[in-house]
Amino acid sequence: MSLPKLFQPKQVGEITVQHRIVLAPLTRNRANKEHVHGDLAVEYYSQRASMPGTLLITEATYIARKAGGYPHVPGIWSEEQIAAWKRVVEAVHARGSYIFLQLWALGRQAFPAVLESEGLPPSSYVSSSDVLLLEVSSTPPRPLTTAEVKEYVQLYATAAKNAVHGAGFDGVEVHCANGYLPDQFLQDICNKRTDEYGGSVENRCRFPLEIVQAVTEAVGVRKTGVRISPWGTFGGMRMADPRPTFTHFVTQLRARFPELAYLHMIEPRTTGNIDVSDVPEGDSNDFVRDIWAPRVIISAGGYTRQMAIEAAEKYDYLTAWGRYFISNPDLPYRLLKNIPLTPYSRDMFYIDESPRGYIDYPFASEPQTQ
Ligand code: PHB
């Protein structure tokens, strides 16, 4: 029997991966207080790059200090951060693998107290509109002015340049999923604006499309990916019917940026880091695939080996793996050889600056050394 497609090479923008198992972007809280990575992250990403030709997507990374609002998350705005990421990238490349950096702005999901602890004024708690997210704050965010929206677009472009030209990343992923800032513009339950960035579907898609435009101009369309979660409830999201909005968004991406490295979509069976037990009948990303195929799609959410093999055969998908890539540093090798997976411990997902549950999960065999 020939090797399943899951374990066959594929062109993704400018790179050729050797298999279709991708490290999903995963917040791990291992950066220091100044949002700079150290040796731990170099080891962590290097371990996950151990099978040559693996594509890794970094944890979500702040484009600017004011785009943050959780502690111990890395950034990509300072020289020190760029230098730290460069060490990660070099370690991954030394393994013959590839790495994209995920560009992040929290908007209303930021904790106002964390912003304040970073010396930022209360007015830096922002979103598309003043719609409360009670999980994080009892006061509403401040709507960005039209001029500030445009400034954010530039912050994304600068961060992309820092990542690709500064740190040497193979590309960047624009995080438009999970109720973070671009998603806060896309979805009407949060976006109540009356300027050119709110109201109609076209207007709600404007900010994310301008980000993609600026990022692709900064680093190249083939070095840019986009992540969406049309069905996710994470961050207080989920429109009554996400299809018209995301149909427009993905159709525009295809029309304007047909050469994007990939479109990354989260399946309705997962939201944040948990599985949804009762996905409503009819919730499906098929409409996204219908627009985007035959371009490259990365699909994320609760995959098993068998599901990933089928998704690669049937739809040509790459599949992104989160929780099992945390507990199995050599996940692609294990899936290839059908070696049982080590279970993950949720209580070690987010231990600030700790090596525990980060770089100490075992390899099935000794990691290959250079
Ligand atoms: C998280 O930190 O829990 C987190 C980060 C990015 C996401 C989702 C969840 O897209």
Side-chain angles (χ1 to χ4, degrees):
M1 215 184 78
S2 71
L3 206 55
K5 254 187 168 179
L6 183 63
F7 307 112
Q8 291 180 24
K10 175 139 179 107
Q11 182 88 24
V12 179
E14 292 175 355
I15 64 177
T16 304
V17 297
Q18 292 304 310
H19 60 81
R20 290 103 184 281
I21 299 145
V22 177
L23 173 67
L26 302 165
T27 294
R28 304 301 313 276
N29 287 24
R30 263 64 176 196
N32 71 14
K33 286 200 171 62
E34 271 308 301
H35 309 285
V36 182
H37 263 319
D39 294 344
L40 288 182
V42 176
E43 177 64 18
Y44 166 79
Y45 284 106
S46 170
Q47 288 179 353
R48 280 147 193 83
S50 57
M51 183 137 131
T54 301
L55 174 59
L56 311 181
I57 304 170
T58 70
E59 63 208 286
T61 299
Y62 299 147
I63 59 172
R65 184 182 293 281
K66 69 179 179 185
Y70 302 155
H72 297 289
V73 163
I76 188 75
W77 71 84
S78 75
E79 287 303 325
E80 206 186 348
Q81 290 162 347
I82 296 167
W85 275 122
K86 193 164 197 243
R87 293 180 56 219
V88 171
V89 172
E90 285 171 356
V92 170
H93 286 169
R95 301 282 201 151
S97 287
Y98 305 101
I99 184 162
F100 273 49
L101 177 117
Q102 197 194 47
L103 299 171
W104 206 18
L106 297 189
R108 70 172 188 165
Q109 287 202 69
F111 288 107
V114 173
L115 293 173
E116 200 186 320
S117 74
E118 306 242 342
L120 294 159
S123 59
S124 50
Y125 182 55
V126 296
S127 181
S128 52
S129 306
D130 59 354
V131 179
L132 273 175
L133 184 64
L134 278 172
E135 291 91 322
V136 298
S137 173
S138 53
T139 49
R142 179 180 66 81
L144 289 167
T145 65
T146 308
E148 285 174 319
V149 176
K150 295 178 196 296
E151 186 204 332
Y152 255 91
V153 171
Q154 291 315 310
L155 289 175
Y156 275 92
T158 302
K161 275 188 214 158
N162 289 346
V164 172
H165 302 148
F169 278 96
D170 298 292
V172 291
E173 175 175 288
V174 181
H175 190 350
C176 297
N178 292 340
Y180 293 105
L181 190 62
D183 211 14
Q184 290 163 31
F185 279 74
L186 282 170
Q187 303 211 32
D188 62 4
I189 50 168
C190 181
N191 184 343
K192 308 293 178 192
R193 299 177 73 90
T194 54
D195 66 356
E196 75 243 46
Y197 293 103
S200 63
V201 169
E202 289 76 12
N203 283 356
R204 282 185 278 109
C205 292
R206 193 178 308 281
F207 176 53
L209 288 169
E210 286 184 0
I211 296 170
V212 177
Q213 178 78 42
V215 166
T216 56
E217 281 169 12
V219 300
V221 68
R222 284 154 57 82
K223 288 187 189 315
T224 306
V226 175
R227 191 176 214 222
I228 58 172
S229 56
W231 305 98
T233 55
F234 193 88
M237 287 292 121
R238 179 60 197 267
M239 302 172 66
D241 182 5
R243 283 189 192 82
T245 297
F246 285 90
T247 294
H248 179 77
F249 185 50
V250 177
T251 303
Q252 285 298 308
L253 288 177
R254 186 186 61 189
R256 300 196 210 174
F257 317 105
E259 304 267 277
L260 281 179
Y262 61 79
L263 182 66
H264 187 175
M265 59 191 198
I266 302 170
E267 299 298 331
R269 61 177 172 267
T270 301
T271 197
N273 64 16
I274 50 176
D275 297 316
V276 181
S277 52
D278 46 355
V279 177
E281 182 77 24
D283 287 13
S284 158
N285 282 337
D286 289 357
F287 77 100
V288 177
R289 181 179 64 244
D290 288 345
I291 301 165
W292 194 254
R295 294 166 188 79
V296 178
I297 293 177
I298 304 177
S299 165
Y303 275 96
T304 62
R305 181 176 190 271
Q306 194 51 37
M307 285 162 68
I309 287 174
E310 283 167 19
E313 292 304 328
K314 211 164 156 191
Y315 304 127
D316 212 24
Y317 285 177
L318 287 80
T319 44
W321 296 65
R323 291 161 285 178
Y324 280 110
F325 222 144
I326 287 176
S327 55
N328 295 271
D330 53 355
L331 181 71
Y333 177 77
R334 289 194 195 215
L335 294 177
L336 174 66
K337 303 287 183 193
N338 207 4
I339 298 168
L341 302 183
T342 304
Y344 50 82
S345 292
R346 258 177 209 282
D347 58 357
M348 297 194 293
F349 282 179
Y350 311 107
I351 315 175
D352 294 351
E353 296 187 56
S354 173
R356 228 162 45 81
Y358 193 54
I359 56 169
D360 53 0
Y361 278 108
F363 281 73
S365 56
E366 283 308 298
Q368 293 135 350
T369 46
Q370 292 300 309

